[in-house]
């Protein structure tokens, strides 16, 4: 039985589906928001359970773990960016992390997976893709710097805890994810797909350059990567990129949308690269591929039609 904190979230639900596909039963925790998409609803009460949890409540976390005899924990729960005061943000992130690690130790689970992020690579100067063994910059300015701060802290403390206790802790450096159930519309793929389905102009946030690129990872691939890392018999490394393994340009993204909606206009694209563009801004996934066989199946050409089909089926997110 695998425990997923934040299990009713965007990545959590897809991770649950992937784990079920690999033969693992799951218990999903929710804080306030409840979601039961069709692809998991049929398993509820059978191979999937839902429990209410505030990750700052260690006793409740241990109670859930003991009740369901959990053998692994995937820690995906995270407060929304800037939703809390700085003090409360710290308490939820860091006390929640400590509780998850200690619960893993006390429950004797096989492995704890900590959700990190490719934002940890911000500030790194490199000529090629981002690799797990690269030295990271200490400080990252701007809004994404907050996420990078928490995730670097998670990795450092998780590694320290593993060394002190012998607990198997794996860091999951998750790339930019899009796809079904994504509701914030923060990333470009989701904004373009929703606009195309609704027949409206896309909502853009500043200039969109055709040759700018990034690691656009479909959520089903991300979930498969996490599931493989959590169920592997053993892992020779403690940190893994979970991404698409390639840089996708905004031009390629727009073309994938047009392949489904020929009338979709892409005249919002500006030629060339933005002044701040950094090449090779994607994660190298060779380590995950070598150690678990992880291979993304939904590059943008396949992901966009799949995403469109999900929305056309009447799903709002």
């Amino acid at each position: 039985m695998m425990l997923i904190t934040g299990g009713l979230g965007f990545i959590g639900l897809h991770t649950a589906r992937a784990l079920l596909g690999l033969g693992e039963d799951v218990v999903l925790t929710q804080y306030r928001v409840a979601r039961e998409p069709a692809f998991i609803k049929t398993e509820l009460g059978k191979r999937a359970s839902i429990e209410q949890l505030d990750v700052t409540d260690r006793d409740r976390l241990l109670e859930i773990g003991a009740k369901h005899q959990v053998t692994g924990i995937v820690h995906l729960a995270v407060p929304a960016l800037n939703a809390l005061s700085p003090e409360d943000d710290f308490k939820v992130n860091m006390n929640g992390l400590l509780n998850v690690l200690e619960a893993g130790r006390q429950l004797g689970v096989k492995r704890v997976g900590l959700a990190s992020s490719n934002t940890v690579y911000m500030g790194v100067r490199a000529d090629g893709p981002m690799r797990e063994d690269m030295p990271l910059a200490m400080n990252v300015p701007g809004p994404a710097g907050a996420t990078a701060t928490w995730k670097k802290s998670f990795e450092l403390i998780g590694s320290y805890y593993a060394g002190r206790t012998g607990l198997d802790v794996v860091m999951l450096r998750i790339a930019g994810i899009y796809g079904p159930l994504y509701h914030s519309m923060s990333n470009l793929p989701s904004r373009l797909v929703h606009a195309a389905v609704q027949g409206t102009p896309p909502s853009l946030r500043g200039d969109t350059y055709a040759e700018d690129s990034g690691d656009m990872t479909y959520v089903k691939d991300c979930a498969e990567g996490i599931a493989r890392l959590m169920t592997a018999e053993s892992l020779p490394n403690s940190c893994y990129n979970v991404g698409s393994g390639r840089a996708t340009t905004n031009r390629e993204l727009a073309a994938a949308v047009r392949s489904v909606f020929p009338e979709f206009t892409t005249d919002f694209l500006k030629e060339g690269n933005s002044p701040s563009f950094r090449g090779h801004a994607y994660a190298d996934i060779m380590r995950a591929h070598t150690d678990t066989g992880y291979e993304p199946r939904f590059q943008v050409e396949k992901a966009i039609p799949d995403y469109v089909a999900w929305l056309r089926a009447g799903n709002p997110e």
Side-chain angles (χ1 to χ4, degrees):
M1 177 73 75
M2 201 75 69
L3 170 64
I4 306 175
T5 70
L8 295 190
F10 169 48
I11 297 176
L13 282 163
H14 287 279
T15 298
R17 181 65 268 172
L19 284 166
L20 288 165
L22 292 178
E24 285 281 344
D25 292 353
V26 294
V27 54
L28 316 177
T29 75
Q30 70 172 86
Y31 180 46
R32 289 199 180 103
V33 178
R35 293 159 118 184
E36 294 182 4
F39 67 74
I40 194 102
K41 194 170 185 178
T42 57
E43 298 291 353
L44 295 177
K46 300 173 185 176
R47 297 180 55 209
S49 303
I50 297 175
E51 298 280 0
Q52 195 282 328
L53 174 69
D54 178 340
V55 292
T56 64
D57 186 343
R58 185 184 299 179
D59 289 341
R60 175 61 177 154
L61 181 56
L62 287 167
E63 177 189 351
I64 294 170
K67 172 184 175 181
H68 294 277
Q69 299 180 320
V70 302
T71 57
I73 303 175
V74 189
H75 184 35
L76 300 176
V78 62
L81 192 63
N82 297 326
L84 305 175
S85 69
E87 179 182 7
D88 288 339
D89 211 10
F90 185 92
K91 288 178 179 177
V92 173
N93 276 291
M94 304 316 293
N95 290 347
L97 170 64
L98 177 60
N99 289 342
V100 165
L101 291 170
E102 185 58 15
R105 185 191 68 82
Q106 291 191 36
L107 294 167
V109 303
K110 176 181 177 180
R111 182 170 298 135
V112 172
L114 301 180
S116 186
S117 164
N118 66 351
T119 59
V120 301
Y121 294 117
M122 294 183 68
V124 173
R125 300 296 178 185
D127 294 329
M130 304 296 105
R131 300 187 310 275
E132 295 92 340
D133 57 358
M134 285 179 167
L136 305 179
M138 281 294 293
N139 298 311
V140 178
T147 299
T149 297
W150 296 125
K151 298 311 183 183
K152 289 176 189 176
S153 300
F154 273 36
E155 291 192 12
L156 286 169
I157 294 170
S159 296
Y160 169 81
Y161 216 86
R164 282 294 304 272
T165 66
L167 182 65
D168 186 352
V169 181
V170 61
M171 319 305 166
L172 311 166
R173 288 185 179 170
I174 298 171
I177 311 301
Y178 69 99
L181 300 179
Y182 185 78
H183 65 274
S184 73
M185 295 297 103
S186 293
N187 61 38
L188 185 61
S190 294
R191 294 200 300 273
L192 295 191
V193 169
H194 275 257
V197 170
Q198 295 163 8
T200 60
S203 173
L204 303 174
R205 300 180 181 182
D207 292 333
T208 303
Y209 287 82
E211 302 310 320
D212 278 9
S213 64
D215 196 325
M216 303 180 192
T217 305
Y218 200 52
V219 67
K220 291 183 179 181
D221 282 334
C222 172
E224 179 70 16
I226 293 172
R228 284 176 174 269
L229 287 163
M230 289 303 301
T231 57
E233 186 60 32
S234 62
L235 292 172
N237 297 286
S238 61
C239 181
Y240 291 87
N241 289 329
V242 182
S244 69
R246 61 173 276 195
T248 299
T249 67
N250 291 334
R251 188 187 301 279
E252 290 173 310
L253 170 63
V257 176
R258 287 200 67 182
S259 72
V260 185
F261 299 93
E263 71 281 6
F264 183 74
T265 178
T266 61
D267 56 7
F268 59 87
L269 291 175
K270 299 188 70 171
E271 289 301 317
N273 296 118
S274 64
S276 61
F277 174 69
R278 177 170 58 87
H280 304 293
Y282 68 96
D284 185 306
I285 58 171
M286 183 54 66
R287 181 180 285 186
H289 174 73
T290 300
D291 294 350
T292 72
Y294 171 58
E295 189 72 47
R297 296 183 298 114
F298 288 89
Q299 298 296 358
V300 67
E301 300 84 4
K302 182 178 179 182
I304 296 303
D306 188 79
Y307 194 2
V308 168
W310 166 266
L311 294 174
R312 279 177 164 172
N315 297 294
E317 299 176 328

